[in-house]
Amino acid sequence: MVEFINGAVDPETQARGDQLFGQIFFTPEGYADPIPFYRSFLTEVPVHVSGFGGAILSRYDDSRALLRDPRFGNGEAGPGSGFASDNSEAVAYRREMFEKRKDTRPQSMLGLDPPDHTRQRSLVSRAFTPRTVEKLRPRIAELADDCLNDLAEAGTGDAMQLLAMPLPVAVISEMLGVPHSDWPTIRDQVTDLVASLEPSASLEELKKAEEASSVLWQYFTDLVEKRRRDPQDDLLSGLIAAADGEDKLTNNEILATAQLLFAAGAETTTNLIGNGLHQLLNHPEQLERLFAQPELVPSLIEEILRYDSPVQLDGRACLEPAEIAGLKFDVGDRVLTLLGAANHDPAKFDRPDEFDIGRYHGPDGAEPVMSFGSGIHYCLGANLAKVEGQEVFAGLLRRFSNISDGGDRVYRNRLVLRGLETCPITVSV
């Protein structure tokens, strides 16, 4: 049971923290704009022991320290299991599915602790080094131009469908070796799958996610068999051949890794692009500044990640007794880090609630964003996502003289992976 090192939990403060958490992750207001609630969290309950079990950290330094501490990991429950005291049908279904598939469809490295995590990540990470990703930049620019051609031809439309979704799917598909004809189907399955990461996911959404997981598992099972018979110059063939001495990925590890890379590579970068367009349209003075100073594109990407991160939440379990952020943890205790709040911590960021595309420009840029996590689970695809974002926004500036609001922009009812359902825009050359 999580406890404060000095003193008991104040019931009123605890109730306030749980109220704020509920407002962020379970209300339309939280989905639309969580920043005011994060401000309240940071001010009123920066270190929170929940009445539902577990703890919630919102400050930058606390979150970073937790995610980098080897005494915390995923544990037997795996990531995203939430607070164990919730006995709803949805939580019961999560547990049932986890137990049912853990032997036949093991978790990806995202849900593992060392030494298994270390072994798998070392075999996969070579495909995502900065040097490797930089070699992909010309091809990423070509794929971005293909999407921009469609947008230019239409003149107006939903940027999520025309740009934000197609580009990341094309990039990760080409990397893995997923045939072009399969991209739309696999993308739709991923959209259903990632709903299971949300604390607010309904039983219906969880069942669709489980069905999508089964479809994707079978899809990659078939594709791996094809690559075993006929290796290609792609990442999936590389995963099959990956070895470090006698250390190789098992077949199930290959399948879990392929599914993870496709889902993470598509969904989060889609949200990075969509959230960035949304914020530029919400801040027309910053869009005008970007047209005047296109060299700010790399800084823009960092500021999108900070201000409106595609990933807002991460979590860990205590693996051995530990004290951190003024709290005492026992083995099995759960703790969540509000990455979105950490990115708005006034102790780390000047004017944290302002969207400033020049914040990271120059040698004295702001603190690194928490959007990709920290420690051993720092996002493998961080470099790839940044390059894709840079090429999209640089392409928009090259191709169009004007980008304007095309209608109502609506966020999904999701916040762990925060992104828009629709983002209508109008462009002119």
Side-chain angles (χ1 to χ4, degrees):
M1 186 72 173
V2 185
E3 299 177 351
F4 282 101
I5 295 173
N6 298 315
V9 177
D10 175 62
E12 290 188 8
T13 303
Q14 184 178 67
R16 176 58 175 158
D18 286 340
Q19 178 191 39
L20 286 170
F21 185 80
Q23 288 173 322
I24 293 169
F25 286 94
F26 296 92
T27 70
E29 294 80 11
Y31 299 137
D33 184 9
I35 292 175
F37 301 107
Y38 287 149
R39 189 183 307 121
S40 297
F41 233 111
L42 287 161
T43 303
E44 300 176 42
V45 282
V47 177
H48 175 54
V49 175
S50 172
F52 299 102
I56 301 172
L57 304 180
S58 57
R59 293 185 297 214
Y60 184 103
D61 285 343
D62 290 342
S63 298
R64 185 175 185 274
L66 185 283
L67 295 176
R68 297 174 68 87
D69 194 318
R71 297 172 298 177
F72 293 85
N74 288 310
E76 293 185 3
S81 59
F83 295 141
S85 60
D86 186 337
N87 293 314
S88 69
E89 281 188 311
V91 171
Y93 183 79
R94 286 183 193 269
R95 293 173 180 157
E96 178 187 350
M97 290 301 101
F98 178 78
E99 291 298 324
K100 179 179 178 180
R101 65 172 183 251
K102 69 179 182 180
D103 294 326
T104 57
R105 282 159 46 198
Q107 293 197 76
S108 70
M109 72 182 83
L110 187 66
L112 299 177
D113 296 317
D116 289 335
H117 170 267
T118 307
R119 177 180 61 83
Q120 289 192 34
R121 185 174 174 113
S122 67
L123 291 170
V124 177
S125 61
R126 64 197 68 177
F128 294 93
T129 64
R131 178 178 295 181
T132 302
V133 170
E134 197 59 35
K135 291 179 180 178
L136 296 173
R137 188 184 287 272
R139 179 54 180 157
I140 292 172
E142 290 178 2
L143 291 169
D145 280 340
D146 290 342
C147 297
L148 292 168
N149 288 339
D150 293 338
L151 181 58
E153 183 177 347
T156 187
D158 184 0
M160 301 304 294
Q161 297 297 327
L162 292 170
L163 182 61
M165 289 183 183
L167 175 66
V169 170
V171 171
I172 195 62
S173 293
E174 285 203 354
M175 288 182 70
L176 279 169
V178 173
H180 187 282
S181 58
D182 295 339
W183 295 0
T185 299
I186 300 302
R187 182 190 70 192
D188 291 343
Q189 296 296 335
V190 165
T191 299
D192 287 341
L193 173 67
V194 298
S196 64
L197 298 175
E198 301 296 322
S200 60
S202 67
L203 181 61
E204 180 181 357
E205 287 174 320
L206 291 174
K207 288 182 176 180
K208 287 183 68 175
E210 179 63 24
E211 182 179 349
S213 179
S214 297
V215 170
L216 288 168
W217 189 267
Q218 186 59 54
Y219 177 84
F220 283 111
T221 296
D222 296 340
L223 191 57
V224 164
E225 287 307 308
K226 290 179 182 177
R227 290 296 180 268
R228 288 191 187 279
R229 294 192 301 268
D230 184 21
Q232 303 291 315
D233 183 20
D234 57 39
L235 180 53
L236 195 57
S237 298
L239 292 176
I240 294 169
D244 184 4
E246 296 182 356
D247 199 4
K248 295 185 177 181
L249 296 171
T250 67
N251 194 66
N252 276 353
E253 288 170 347
I254 292 168
L255 296 174
T257 299
Q259 184 167 302
L260 167 67
L261 293 178
F262 195 99
E267 188 71 16
T268 55
T269 310
T270 289
N271 293 342
L272 167 63
I273 296 168
N275 293 0
L277 283 168
H278 176 68
Q279 295 305 334
L280 286 171
L281 292 170
N282 272 359
H283 300 84
E285 78 288 351
Q286 295 294 311
L287 180 57
E288 183 178 350
R289 181 184 180 191
L290 187 63
F291 271 108
Q293 297 178 269
E295 68 273 14
L296 293 181
V297 164
S299 177
L300 163 70
I301 299 305
E302 297 295 332
E303 182 67 345
I304 296 167
L305 289 164
R306 186 199 70 82
Y307 188 86
D308 198 1
S309 175
V311 181
Q312 299 277 324
L313 177 74
D314 202 355
R316 295 288 185 269
C318 185
L319 304 179
E320 60 181 88
E323 294 182 0
I324 195 168
L327 297 174
K328 181 168 63 176
F329 293 89
D330 290 329
V331 174
D333 286 341
R334 304 293 297 185
V335 55
L336 302 179
T337 56
L338 297 182
L339 302 182
N343 283 333
H344 286 260
D345 187 346
K348 285 294 177 180
F349 301 100
D350 182 39
R351 302 168 288 108
D353 297 341
E354 288 186 26
F355 183 65
D356 176 3
I357 67 169
R359 187 184 297 270
Y360 288 88
H361 188 60
D364 300 321
E367 294 278 357
V369 297
M370 285 293 294
S371 308
F372 296 114
S374 192
I376 64 171
H377 286 285
Y378 182 81
C379 178
L380 264 179
N383 295 314
L384 181 63
K386 290 181 182 182
V387 169
E388 289 181 54
Q390 290 168 11
E391 292 304 319
V392 164
F393 285 96
L396 283 165
L397 298 179
R398 284 195 309 269
R399 295 290 298 272
F400 307 114
S401 61
N402 183 65
I403 303 169
S404 58
D405 194 346
D408 292 337
R409 301 186 299 279
V410 181
Y411 273 95
R412 292 177 181 170
N413 291 340
R414 300 179 183 179
L415 206 64
V416 174
L417 296 183
R418 175 169 167 77
L420 291 156
E421 186 72 42
T422 57
C423 183
I425 65 172
T426 298
V427 296
S428 56
V429 296

